[in-house]
Amino acid sequence: KAGVTQTPRYLIKTRGQQVTLSCSPISGHRSVSWYQQTPGQGLQFLFEYFSETQRNKGNFPGRFSGRQFSNSRSEMNVSTLELGDSALYLCASSSDQVGIDYGYTFGSGTRLTVV
Amino acid sequence: GESVGLHLPTLSVQEGDNSIINCAYSNSASDYFIWYKQESGKGPQFIIDIRSNMDKRQGQRVTVLLNKTVKHLSLQIAATQPGDSAVYFCAERRTGRRALTFGSGTRLQVQP
């Protein structure tokens, strides 16, 4: 079955702009999590959505937001971009069913560069 | 604060040798641990996981050991191959939470 699909793969934005990233989870997976990866901070949890509801949120400012649609696809939005938002944004999906391995499957990420 | 850390940032091994990558975690409430492999330009790839009620789990050429007494996790790769060269991350999930906390990563370099 298809893996986790993230679009676009690369983005270049100007400081102050906003950006929307998309993630399509593995078919049947209802949980989608977002992570930011930077050389300095490593992989950090942004938020997690399940059945269109945000269940968990990391320690990021309100400029970072997300949503999930009824088909489990998720988007994250970053408003008023700052240079420090340049990072690889990763999406992970999981089945979140009791008794099923909880292995989180990651997409290839969206490389965001803010100039 | 609570964190998941790694002992060595870079590990260099000869092809065919066994590799051991270590990870320390600080939260005794963690109930699930995962090892990921990340190659350049790609997202983390799931290798193997282990629940806190287990001490050892084996996969194909990989073994994960969990020592809850000293809060230590290790990944053993048997007969390391050039294709194993990558950055390896351990991650923990705390009971009742969905977020994974990742270690800083260890770069594995396999010398031919």
Side-chain angles (χ1 to χ4, degrees), chain B residues 42 51 71 76 89 109 111:
Chain B
K42 298 183 180 180
R51 298 176 190 269
K71 299 189 186 69
Q76 301 178 1
F89 294 94
Q109 296 178 334
Q111 307 297 329

Side-chain angles (χ1 to χ4, degrees), chain A residues 49-106:
Chain A
Y49 286 86
F50 180 80
S51 292
E52 303 179 63
T53 301
Q54 187 182 89
R55 284 199 303 191
N56 291 265
K57 190 176 189 304
N59 296 322
F60 279 81
R63 299 185 298 106
F64 292 81
S65 63
R67 59 177 175 169
Q68 187 180 34
F69 302 95
S70 58
N71 61 357
S72 294
R73 188 178 71 86
S74 177
E75 290 181 347
M76 68 163 283
N77 183 278
V78 187
S79 63
T80 319
L81 284 165
E82 300 177 358
L83 296 178
D85 297 333
S86 295
L88 180 66
Y89 290 88
L90 292 157
C91 164
S93 80
S94 67
S95 65
D96 196 46
Q97 295 182 41
V98 174
I100 304 294
D101 282 344
Y102 291 105
Y104 298 70
T105 303
F106 282 84

Side-chain angles (χ1 to χ4, degrees), chain B residues 19-92:
Chain B
S19 301
I20 299 176
I21 301 172
N22 296 303
C23 177
Y25 65 95
S26 59
N27 196 315
S28 58
S30 295
D31 65 350
Y32 180 61
F33 303 86
I34 312 174
W35 279 101
Y36 284 96
K37 170 187 179 183
Q38 187 174 26
E39 297 174 288
S40 181
K42 298 183 180 180
Q45 176 187 355
F46 175 92
I47 301 173
I48 192 167
D49 59 0
I50 188 167
R51 298 176 190 269
S52 59
N53 61 354
M54 303 171 68
D55 297 322
K56 178 180 179 179
R57 194 173 187 204
Q58 290 183 291
Q60 187 175 14
R61 283 202 305 120
V62 295
T63 300
V64 55
L65 299 177
L66 176 62
N67 185 330
K68 295 179 286 294
T69 302
V70 295
K71 299 189 186 69
H72 185 267
L73 190 70
S74 69
L75 175 70
Q76 301 178 1
I77 304 173
T80 312
Q81 303 168 0
D84 294 327
S85 294
V87 177
Y88 290 79
F89 294 94
C90 65
E92 64 168 323

